[in-house]
Amino acid sequence: MRVDVITIFPDYFGPLSLSLIGKARGSGLLDLEVHDLRTWTSDVHRTVDDTPYGGGPGMVMRPEPWGQALDAVGPGTLIVPSPVGKPFTQADAQALASLDHLIFACGRYEGIDQRVIDDAAARMPVLEVSLGDYVLFGGEVAVIVIMEAITRLLPGVLGNADSLTEESHAAGLLEAPVYTKPASWRDRDVPDVLRSGDHGRIARWRRDQSLLRTAARRPDMMAAYPPSSLDKADRKT
Ligand SMILES: NC(=O)c1ccno1
């Protein structure tokens, strides 16, 4: 997978050289390049913003540098993290992980001139996505989060691909609680079923815990959980 990130703060992306993402880049599974938007400015001050038409607080990112930057690195699938975007989900991560070329545009200030998005959409798929109902200083941190969610789904990145099947959101439910040694810690014991060696009981317990946890914390996910996935015993849970 090829990924281009365009930002005015390239140093924000140091974390993408660490851990499993760093290994994915080193092994060639992920070809990631971070670009400084100011590369595509032409004035001595390397200006990337200006005052908003219609008045209002703050500054807006100018279209010219963005247009030239996207011309240079595109086409691909353009992802713009933004508070006005569609909620980013695991399903989005799974869909994006199957693509060959992603381009991330990191907005700052009050945002990017809308014409940049509109112009890009005439040449490539554009997704404006939000990580949640809050506002960040810019898109950079959101790109790191999205890149983690996508990269871990790439074949060969996780040592054990099985962990992708049981994890939260992969099957539409929240994951069951997890435990490791010691069997007792501060008078709190690991549930006996997990130490029983009875894999059928263990699978049943984990599913029950997933359903209980999802119902308690994410009724929206429970409502969307396909009834066909619930066997008769689940309905009593
Ligand atoms: N909520 C978000 O994803 C976001 C991105 C940039 N600012 O906020």
Side-chain angles (χ1 to χ4, degrees):
M1 173 183 280
R2 166 74 184 186
V3 176
D4 290 288
V5 182
I6 304 168
T7 173
I8 59 172
F9 293 114
D11 290 350
Y12 248 96
F13 294 94
L16 295 187
S17 299
L18 305 175
S19 187
L20 291 181
I21 290 189
K23 287 182 182 160
R25 294 175 72 178
S27 68
L29 284 172
L30 176 63
D31 174 16
L32 184 141
E33 188 169 353
V34 178
H35 308 271
D36 186 339
L37 178 67
R38 296 186 196 276
T39 303
W40 290 280
T41 59
S42 51
D43 64 304
V44 67
H45 299 296
R46 310 188 78 196
T47 310
V48 293
D49 62 318
D50 206 332
T51 54
Y53 275 117
M59 304 291 275
V60 174
M61 300 191 94
R62 296 173 50 234
E64 298 95 327
W66 275 111
Q68 292 172 43
L70 292 174
D71 289 348
V73 305
T77 295
L78 176 61
I79 303 155
V80 186
S82 162
V84 302
K86 168 190 169 296
F88 182 76
T89 66
Q90 186 69 17
D92 294 323
Q94 285 161 344
L96 293 174
S98 68
L99 301 181
D100 293 330
H101 186 195
L102 304 180
I103 303 168
F104 287 96
C106 300
R108 280 270 155 172
Y109 312 116
E110 298 303 314
I112 301 171
D113 186 302
Q114 182 61 40
R115 292 168 292 180
V116 172
I117 309 297
D118 299 341
D119 176 66
R123 304 196 304 279
M124 63 187 95
V126 178
L127 287 80
E128 291 186 81
V129 295
S130 170
L131 297 190
D133 293 340
Y134 44 79
V135 183
L136 304 171
F137 282 119
E140 285 80 6
V141 168
V143 169
I144 292 173
V145 170
I146 293 168
M147 275 306 298
E148 278 230 0
I150 291 170
T151 306
R152 62 192 300 279
L153 299 175
L154 298 178
V157 171
L158 281 187
N160 179 1
D162 290 348
S163 53
L164 292 176
T165 55
E166 294 296 316
E167 64 186 6
S168 293
H169 302 283
L173 293 174
L174 299 183
E175 200 171 344
V178 291
Y179 300 84
T180 188
K181 302 179 188 64
S184 187
W185 176 73
R186 293 187 180 180
D187 296 329
R188 298 177 188 277
D189 298 341
V190 171
D192 290 336
V193 62
L194 296 180
R195 302 177 64 215
S196 68
D198 182 335
H199 298 296
R201 275 188 65 212
I202 291 169
R204 176 94 219 135
W205 181 86
R206 284 176 168 158
R207 179 173 172 74
D208 288 351
Q209 291 297 311
S210 284
L211 289 166
L212 287 169
R213 188 176 252 193
T214 306
R217 299 179 185 180
R218 292 295 303 273
D220 58 309
M221 288 176 67
M222 272 317 278
Y225 193 62
S228 57
S229 301
L230 293 170
D231 51 86
K232 203 173 291 180
D234 288 329
R235 297 183 193 288
K236 301 185 186 96
T237 300

